[in-house]
Amino acid sequence: MANNPIKAVKGVKDILPADATLWREVERRARAQFARFGFKEIVLPIFEKTEVFVKGVGEETDIVQKEMYTFQDQGGESLTLRPEGTASCVRAFIEHSMYHPPGTITKLYYFGPMFRRERPQAGRFRQFYQIGAELFGALEPEADAEAIHLLWLFIQSINIKGPRLYLNSLGCDTCRPPFRAALVNFLTARKERLCETCQGRYQRNPLRVFDCKAQGCQQVMTEAPTIDKHYCPDCQAHFDRVKKGLEALAIPYELNSRMVRGLDYYNRTVFEVTAEGLGSQNSIAGGGRYDDLIKNSGGPAVPAIGFALGVERLLESIGTPLEFSPGHPDVFIVYMEAAADEAFRIAGRLRRTGIAVEKAFKPASLKNQMGKADKSGARFALIIGEEELATRTAILKNLKNSTQQPIPLANLEESLTGLLTS
RNA sequence: GUGAGUGUAGCUCAGCUGGUAGAGCAAUGGGUUGUGGCUCCAUUGGUCGCGGGUUCAAUCCCCGUCACUCACCCCA
């Protein structure tokens, strides 16, 4: 053991081969589900100009205020490792004029790492992976319902344990200010009963007090005015149709008028999915509508809705194991020292024809090699010792049913290909 | 940023009120001079996170430090 081995950065994990297979299976199923809804993949850069996130995510958010990995490049420009995907996606949407012609619907999804400098915890990492989707150009509540449907079906497809969908509407610029004023009013009158952090923020961001877990704040908030009594007619109608849509699609949801999302850009529909088996951070997905973000980011007034899932959390909350083939070798070559050169050449020949071959670089005992062959999951062991070398005929052992047969070395490629495809 | 808990073999963990360490799994060899999954035997493998202190003696007690974990904040 080395004295001071270099370790990975805090909060950052290696995804080892044993986990990577499951990881990729989840990704594969996500792609399949997105494709069914007509979403196309967009591969975004993992760093952007800092202002993309400051303006996109919101200056008041925790993400921008204390969690971003920001650095200056040699040209003096401030760059940031992306803490989330929507801001980048919106930047790309505008940059490539995807809103043309007017009325265009654009459906995008992405998959990749995000970076936030938080204290690591169960289900929380400094580099974590998100699967995200964004739907641009639709104001209709049916878009909200379809986006949630997509999310819900994907969650079903990977056997998530105990998923629960929480739904709320945050209203819009018309109904939010009066509600906000009412809330600030309410809180000011009860300022003494709030916790320290809430006393500090209730004027700037009164909605956050809903999320506070302090006893005093919780009690106060049970009587607080909620947004659902303040919707303007348009928002009320929109939310009603979203709910109707979810019911038509048989998606179970729970209303939570106290749900507030941590990003500033949301309006109207917001939602969150929690699952079992996760510890304290039990939210596996979250999203909502952001009808003003594109305009505020310098683009046209295009409405949008999106969501993101946290891959590490998904993996932790998978119930019944997913079935998939982990990729075993076709043939494991077991050989003796005398046949080392021949085994090496045969491996080369077989691999050139596309057969998956595994073999030791240095032969251990036959027992050992057979054990490795078994563990590798290979279908066949190809055994080559001195006798086989002399007769130019190897032994092919089927590891699944323990039968074996002699097989001439001359046309191994053909005979093996035949056996493997049968 | 705050708080708590844990650091002993590659992995999962024992180790009583201080006497410098053990099991299971894994690995390697053997029982079958050339055949895996089961079984049996043997072997390899440890600066007991790091630094200091108390003591005749510290894995164990004390202090510091680092790392990991969980929780708060907040989020995926």
Side-chain angles (χ1 to χ4, degrees):
Chain A
M1 200 197 294
N3 284 348
N4 285 311
I6 298 178
K7 297 175 38 174
V9 172
K10 183 196 279 287
V12 166
K13 292 262 180 302
D14 298 308
I15 302 150
L16 300 175
D19 298 322
T21 49
L22 176 59
W23 188 277
R24 290 305 175 202
E25 177 63 13
V26 167
E27 182 178 347
R28 195 186 64 75
R29 293 188 189 204
R31 291 181 194 287
Q33 200 58 253
F34 284 127
R36 288 182 200 119
F37 278 76
F39 281 68
K40 310 287 187 197
E41 182 173 17
I42 181 167
V43 182
L44 295 162
I46 63 170
F47 63 108
E48 298 270 359
K49 293 177 184 176
T50 300
E51 58 203 273
V52 168
F53 304 114
V54 174
K55 288 181 184 161
V57 179
E59 292 193 57
E60 291 297 310
T61 60
D62 281 4
I63 291 177
V64 169
Q65 289 195 344
K66 52 187 195 191
E67 295 173 3
M68 295 204 304
Y69 280 103
T70 297
F71 60 97
Q72 275 203 349
D73 81 348
Q74 284 85 336
E77 188 162 44
S78 180
L79 304 177
T80 294
L81 261 37
R82 63 180 183 187
E84 60 107 51
T86 299
S88 299
C89 206
V90 165
R91 192 226 79 226
F93 177 81
I94 297 169
E95 185 168 339
H96 303 288
S97 304
M98 296 186 207
Y99 44 80
H100 275 307
T104 302
I105 299 291
T106 307
K107 303 178 190 175
L108 301 172
Y109 74 88
Y110 53 86
F111 186 103
M114 306 295 165
F115 306 84
R116 294 184 200 170
R117 198 181 185 289
E118 298 181 274
R119 195 75 163 256
Q121 191 182 326
R124 168 181 297 159
F125 311 97
R126 289 185 173 182
Q127 173 173 339
F128 61 99
Y129 289 76
Q130 283 193 338
I131 302 172
E134 315 290 349
L135 196 169
F136 298 97
L139 200 53
E140 294 74 13
E142 285 69 27
D144 307 39
E146 278 198 18
I148 293 171
H149 193 208
L150 163 54
L151 169 61
W152 194 247
L153 287 179
F154 169 56
I155 282 170
Q156 308 294 319
S157 79
I158 56 170
N159 303 345
I160 293 298
K161 247 185 303 183
R164 295 166 79 103
L165 169 67
Y166 295 98
L167 187 70
N168 191 22
S169 171
L170 299 178
C172 65
D173 281 347
T174 310
C175 43
R176 223 158 3 163
F179 163 65
R180 198 190 146 98
L183 186 58
V184 171
N185 238 351
F186 170 88
L187 290 171
T188 308
R190 291 160 183 77
K191 184 180 172 184
E192 309 308 324
R193 293 167 59 192
L194 300 178
C195 73
E196 230 174 279
T197 42
C198 286
Q199 292 204 10
R201 70 182 169 192
Y202 80 95
Q203 290 203 330
R204 271 199 321 193
N205 202 340
L207 290 175
R208 284 292 183 81
V209 186
F210 277 112
D211 262 353
C212 187
K213 278 159 192 154
Q215 287 243 328
C217 298
Q218 292 251 349
Q219 278 195 340
V220 170
M221 296 321 275
T222 53
E223 305 148 26
T226 47
I227 181 73
D228 52 328
K229 306 288 190 301
H230 291 77
Y231 294 140
C232 64
D234 282 352
C235 282
Q236 186 67 59
H238 184 96
F239 197 31
D240 287 343
R241 277 172 64 189
V242 171
K243 288 187 273 189
K244 201 168 289 177
L246 293 180
E247 280 148 27
L249 296 168
I251 304 167
Y253 64 88
E254 299 170 43
L255 291 176
N256 180 1
S257 57
R258 294 177 311 148
M259 181 171 66
V260 183
R261 312 243 68 240
L263 293 86
D264 279 359
Y265 48 65
Y266 289 120
N267 69 309
R268 289 196 170 164
T269 314
V270 290
F271 49 93
E272 186 173 316
V273 178
T274 63
E276 290 167 8
L278 279 168
S280 167
Q281 310 302 325
N282 64 348
S283 161
I284 56 169
R289 186 166 270 286
Y290 47 96
D291 292 331
D292 301 320
L293 178 59
I294 294 148
K295 190 175 63 197
N296 293 343
S297 302
V302 175
I305 182 164
F307 61 82
L309 302 108
V311 177
E312 291 85 350
R313 292 184 186 178
L314 291 176
L315 296 178
E316 282 303 307
S317 50
I318 288 175
T320 46
L322 270 36
E323 281 180 29
F324 60 95
S325 81
H328 300 299
D330 298 315
V331 180
F332 196 107
I333 301 181
V334 171
Y335 64 103
M336 292 173 68
E337 187 59 51
D341 290 344
E342 189 60 43
F344 181 74
R345 279 192 296 269
I346 288 173
R349 279 167 53 195
L350 296 181
R351 284 168 174 157
R352 271 195 295 278
T353 69
I355 295 173
V357 179
E358 195 55 77
K359 141 189 178 308
F361 290 110
K362 188 167 59 174
S365 69
L366 273 218
K367 182 172 178 166
N368 179 292
Q369 292 188 71
M370 287 302 290
K372 294 266 172 61
D374 186 44
K375 268 174 207 146
S376 77
R379 242 174 106 184
F380 296 105
L382 186 71
I383 303 165
I384 315 167
E386 291 177 46
E387 282 176 37
E388 290 73 25
L389 204 55
T391 58
R392 307 298 300 161
T393 304
I395 296 169
L396 187 71
K397 179 160 186 176
N398 182 323
L399 293 171
K400 306 297 171 193
N401 62 16
S402 293
T403 59
Q404 61 182 49
Q405 56 178 308
I407 181 165
L409 295 183
N411 52 355
L412 260 184
E413 291 92 330
E414 290 73 14
S415 25
L416 269 176
T417 305
L419 284 166
L420 285 165
T421 48
S422 69

